[in-house]
Amino acid sequence: MMRLGRRAAGMAVLAGMVLTCVAARAQDADLARRGAYLEQAADCEVCHTKPGGIPFAGGRAFDLPGIGTIYAPNITPDHETGIGRYTDAQFDAAVRRGVAPGWRHLYPVMPYASYARMTEGDVRAIRAYLMTLRPVHAPAPANQVRFPYNIRLAMIGWNLLYRPSGPLADDPGRSAAWNRGRYLVDAAGHCGECHSPRNMLQALSVTKSYAGAPIDGWLAYNISSDVDSGIGAWSDPQLAAYLSTGHADGRGTAVGPMAEVVSHSLRYLTREDIAAMVTYLRSLPARRSDETVGVVSPETLAQAGPNHSNGGRLFAGACAGCHLTDGYGRQVDFAALWGARSLGEIDGRNLVRTMVEGVTLQSAHGAMIMPAFGPEYRNQDLADIANYAIGHFGNRVGHVTAKDVAATRASVPPS
Amino acid sequence: MLTLQVNGAAHQVDVPDDMPLLWVLRDVLGLPGTKFGCGIGECGACTVHVDGKAVRACSLPASLVGDRPVTTIEGLAEDEVATEVTKAWLDIDVVQCGYCQPGQIMAAIALLKGNLHPSDDEIDQAMSGNICRCGTYRRIRAAIRNVAGAV
Amino acid sequence: MPVGTIAISRRRALLGAGGLLMAAMVPLERSRAATRIVEDQTGPFAPNAFVRVAPDGSITLILPNVEMGQGIYTGEAMLIAEELDVGLDQIQIEAAPPDDAYITKALGTEATGGSTSTIATWTSLREAGAVARTLLVRAAANRWMVDAASCQTEAGMVRHGPSGRTLSYGELAIEAAALPVPAGPVALRDPSTFRLIGHAQHRLDGPAKVAGTATFGIDIRQPDMKVGTVAACPVMGGVLLHVDDSAARKIPGVRDVLTIGNAVCVVGDHFWAARKGLEALAITWDEGVNSTVSTETVYRGLHEALQGPAIVAHTKGDAKGAIAGAATRVEAVYQQPLLAHAPMEPINCTVHVTPERCDIWVGTQVPMRARDAAAEITGLPKDKVFLHNQYIGGGFGRRLEHEYVTQAVQFARQVAYPLKIVWSREEDLALDRYRPAYVDHLVGGLDAHGKLVGLSHRIVGPAVVARWAPEALLPNGVDDDLLAATVETPYAIPARFLDYARREAPGVVTAWWRGVGGTRGVFVIESFIDELAASAKVDPVEFRRRMTGDHSRARAVLDLAAEKAEWGSKLPEGVGRGVALQYVFGSYLATVMEVEVSQMGTVRVRRAVVAVDCGRVVNPDQVVSQIEGGLIFGLSAALFNEVTLEKGRVQEKNFNTYRVLRMNESPAIEVHLIDSTEDPGGIGETGTAAAAAAAANAMAAATGRRYRRLPLTGAQA
């Protein structure tokens, strides 16, 4: 945006070149502004930025089990290493068809199968926005992909099978909000890329859409409308609050990749767009899955006396400073644990991962941070804390072992 | 511009939305009794009361306090439980370096206001989030027990 | 710290009666100090550097050592007040400024550390009080024209017995100030008449600390002051190459971005602005040669030096011959990690530099060194540098370093306003100066009766004293802090050999840490004694008892601790009892600990019983308090703590990754004091020294395996 401002000022000096040009620039600025919002909805930044790196300059590694490691490319307007030389058509082909200039087929870790349902105009707007960024020279490391996945042309077949041909037409039988919600959830927001299981060819399952799936060692939860294992029991305000802030009372707080999605994308969406997403999510068919959550009310939690287990004691020392034992967050609602999905998982997958690596969730009141406890606490200690928390807050018998914790530690990419 | 109710008085402060209450108290309002220890809610040195509950001021953005009353170690003068707690602390010479003690005392008062006769387990539960590097834990526990006998 | 001179003087004290106190006495240099103080004040009575009485009746005691929790303000005030004959409620106290009059001779500078304070001031501060009282009595006698011997003092008054007339000290201040200070020694009270010493007194700093009004360094506020926070190169020895501060300067409240050779400081209206500004900097360091150092590097270097040349530090008899001829040979290698201090009050320092003067508000254990450093940086004469020492929110040796004062002055001289620098906890841990890692190798020989006939010991590690006080490194190159608890033991050992392979730690600066050589040495020696006892199949208490020889005070504390801890009584499954016996800082301690080790390896310290003979006690309840706290401090480290390095960077960030014992993990602690009229020993670090050995021995008793590596539990164990 800064760059646009400067460019506009420069234009004003060259007054002779006048009105048509200025009008065109203003149009560009509008397009870029619209693109900035759409970029947030599509959340390009989070994948195209490596941890601690320059935004959009790429380099983030994606480990695909059995396939290899793929690095997100630089999408700043750098001519050599970024998208500086892409035309609108080339950019569109990459985003919506998974084909980069030179007929290089992208891997579907780039969610082009979802973006394929975006409109051409929206993708053009995103490019207009990206072109306003400061160009950064940052070549992406070479992908390390095993045979046969290293044959990019194989993607042609995949695309024929799984890539939608274009944007879905609005369903006239549904409300405008529903249609907008579908666009944001299915297309731009590409929610299914994490929340839907994949088939053997890494395509999103249609029959189990939004029924939850493992991703990068995390579990992306079931967000279908199933009452027990999905979001069927959530109220509209809870859903809206969770999407727009990462927290809903009685539903816990987003951690892991979902915290990133909220931090970089969802929290910037307008209230209307969030409401539209809620409308659409409500309409998703119910899909049953294994995870369910037992919501224990703060009133019940407050009645529980001190816990003498190792986990209970450690929780009182290291965790209760923010979380308390009655389920309410001590300082901020973000630390309120009651009703959190992660406490209903008896193998504590997301819970242990969260303890090991911590969370950063951006909010309107600054970064909400849970520090990482992995380096200092024994595997058994973290397992004990997890089992205590699952029992206390989730009303389940936790089955977390020291071995599980060790495995989780091993799955955390080095920072 | 925020309006904070601190120790019974309203204060207008012009601070960023993400600024923790701790730094508003210490560096803007000039109330240094509340201490900085870790900045991540792990040590309890910054414990104050918000709406009577013990909270870590280092991890509470001031913009989320709203109109809830804030009480710091400097604002305890009139309070009966607080008077007994400080007396109990002095009776058995709890303090050593003293740096964590405002936080310990604020945590203890909040505990006692909800439960005037806490068991040792309940004391441990409520106080274990407050670190003391000098190791005054045994005396803190004893002082809290003595308050229960005194009030 | 028991650097060079103190350790020597301690040994001398052991050898020759009374030598210790003479060696450690603070020279009063009365005339010089008195002149200076009289200049500062308008004519109060100031017969020496420690006592001032003003005509308005106010009595001020200037205390040479700084209060960091150890209760020294109360203890030292008691020493003066006892002889001055005033109540503790009649005095005010002040921290001593940097001045030769307050040098702790044993430490070679004005310093608080090494549990030396009470030892060093036991006589000198009582003398200071007695001199003042003598002059006040003379002034009264002169006024009344009576014999001074017919006057008594009581609670800040001089009374003429026969006539019943009284005058307050304040009323006598001006006349007393005109009298010459006695040239010879003044009589001190018979200890049997002590009103204060030996009787528990409430801490003088208690009320302010409980009310939250005690001012620590971090609480300083000055007009127009701004607050800065710092990022120094996270790799030791690295330097700043470039900083892009454009984003930082846009953050509301950020006022300045300052740089020095190896660090950047963002200054703001408040800490939060400074911190946000610091996070927004893009800093490029030249990390230098240490950027490849890892924890592995550190330990590898130490273990390698177990072979090869070393300096002989101590020999007695033919230890190697005795071991060669012994019935049983016992051998063990012990490893101890780098440790951080992590005091609750993060590092901070407030400095205001003007062309005329430099004011420093800081909590420091070494005020004179800090002042001198500021003088050098600013080019101001030393007497234009004013250091205002504050309450310290935990020292533990960290504030025996003054590099953070140096850093703060380097930043503050670049600006006109007073600058308060506060390090984040992360900076405090990453840029600490660390307790060194050590490796010790011991070999012992037992005869057929299970008696120790020879002990051979190699210590590998840094010589902290070589940096901190190079002149105190022994001529043979040994840091004699390492002799604490290893040569000075409570045991009669027939033949001994100790050598030392010096290996400085790569990538970190090493420093003093609570208990210093005692903490290091007691773990090693008392673990090994336990291993010897096990090999001899003798009960650990009995084994030690047989070894105490002439050390009857050691035997007494051992017996008392064993009795109070019900040594030998049955314990539940999974619970073990361990003992440690020590003679460090001039005090004897026996500690019995009960530790539970669950089947999942969870360790819980249940109970600690300590018996102490620290000679004459000044403030008994504070001795108990120091032992309680010292044990907890030592247990945190023994159970959990290890500073680790990766690519030259310290990995521990905050209390989430540098774990501290909490209330619900703390054992029940009982401390039993033995009445003693021996000269006082130090106490502030003794509990810390006891912790690791007692815990490790108890864990060994619980599980049947030995624990030779610290920390005893924690993620790495």
Side-chain angles (χ1 to χ4, degrees), chain B residues 18 27 35 37 133 137-138, chain C residues 219 271 276 341 628 661:
Chain B
D18 62 351
D27 287 357
K35 302 303 187 203
R133 282 292 270 161
Y137 299 132
R138 192 189 71 79
Chain C
D219 300 330
F271 179 85
K276 297 287 284 184
H341 299 86
E628 290 170 352
L661 203 75

Side-chain angles (χ1 to χ4, degrees), chain B residues 18 20 23 26-27 35 37-38 42 86 90-91 93 95-97 99 128 133-134 137-139 141, chain C residues 69 202-203 209 216 218-219 221 271-272 276 341-342 425 621 625-626 628-629 654 661-662 664 666:
Chain B
D18 62 351
W23 300 109
R26 287 183 58 84
D27 287 357
K35 302 303 187 203
C38 69
E42 271 296 295
T86 51
L90 292 172
D91 278 349
D93 281 308
V95 308
Q96 290 189 29
C97 90
Y99 192 79
S128 288
R133 282 292 270 161
C134 298
Y137 299 132
R138 192 189 71 79
R139 288 176 190 236
R141 207 191 279 146
Chain C
H202 284 301
R203 293 179 63 115
K209 286 180 174 177
F216 296 85
I218 205 170
D219 300 330
R221 274 168 81 88
F271 179 85
W272 189 246
K276 297 287 284 184
H341 299 86
R425 172 61 61 192
D621 189 45
S625 188
Q626 282 305 295
E628 290 170 352
N654 204 319
L661 203 75
R662 294 171 180 275
N664 66 1
S666 299

Side-chain angles (χ1 to χ4, degrees), chain C residues 334 442 455 457 485-486 488-491 493 518-533 540-541 543-545 547 558 578-583 589-591 689-698 706-707:
Chain C
Y334 299 93
L442 290 92
L455 180 66
H457 183 175
T486 56
E488 288 178 355
T489 68
Y491 302 119
I493 300 171
T519 297
R520 200 208 80 73
V522 171
F523 167 66
V524 171
I525 292 294
E526 284 302 287
S527 291
F528 193 64
I529 296 281
D530 239 45
E531 300 206 32
L532 291 168
V541 167
F543 188 82
R544 286 174 171 79
R545 199 169 195 286
M547 284 179 63
L558 181 64
V579 63
L581 179 63
Q582 70 194 52
Y583 174 64
L589 249 78
T591 305
N697 290 342
R706 290 303 316 180
Y707 296 85

Side-chain angles (χ1 to χ4, degrees), chain C residues 84 180 198 219 285 295 315 346 430 489 560 572 575 604 620 643 653 687 695 709:
Chain C
L84 182 59
D219 300 330
W285 306 108
T295 310
T315 55
T489 68
L560 182 60
V575 181
R604 185 160 164 70
V643 166
K653 306 283 184 226
R709 189 183 151 176

Side-chain angles (χ1 to χ4, degrees), chain C residues 13 98 138 151 208 319 452 461 504 528 536 538 645 676 710 714:
Chain C
R138 277 189 202 161
C151 301
L452 179 64
E504 289 301 321
F528 193 64
V538 178
L645 291 161
S676 173
L710 296 180

